[in-house]
Amino acid sequence: MSETPICSAKGCRADAVWVLAWNNPKVHTPERRKTWLACEEHREHLAQFLGVRGFLKDVVGFEDWEAREDS
């Protein structure tokens, strides 16, 4: 990736180090994964937001996610 990934939290401009994979079962097929990026500071907040709604499927380090996508 040529650009540094940025955290998805509102107003945050920190580098993302986590990928939160999620889906909304009312909208997406079960295998579909949308992603939010998170810095260390916002990982728990974003995961909790998605988790309360039953949307959170996985939390993976950004580098590990990129390696998955490349294989």
Side-chain angles (χ1 to χ4, degrees):
M1 182 175 254
S2 60
E3 295 182 22
T4 302
I6 301 298
C7 180
S8 298
K10 186 176 183 177
C12 185
R13 303 303 303 156
D15 292 351
V17 293
W18 296 100
V19 175
L20 287 74
W22 62 278
N23 97 2
N24 179 341
K26 291 181 180 178
V27 178
H28 307 119
T29 58
E31 65 280 351
R32 172 104 189 257
R33 291 295 180 266
K34 308 248 326 156
T35 57
W36 281 356
L37 303 177
C39 64
E40 283 294 342
E41 181 181 349
H42 292 112
R43 183 191 66 82
E44 186 61 35
H45 171 75
L46 293 173
Q48 187 174 37
F49 180 89
L50 292 168
V52 164
R53 290 157 180 78
F55 295 174
L56 186 63
K57 302 300 177 191
D58 203 3
V59 178
V60 180
F62 184 80
E63 290 181 6
D64 292 335
W65 182 267
E66 288 289 289
R68 274 192 203 175
E69 296 294 307
D70 291 340
S71 56

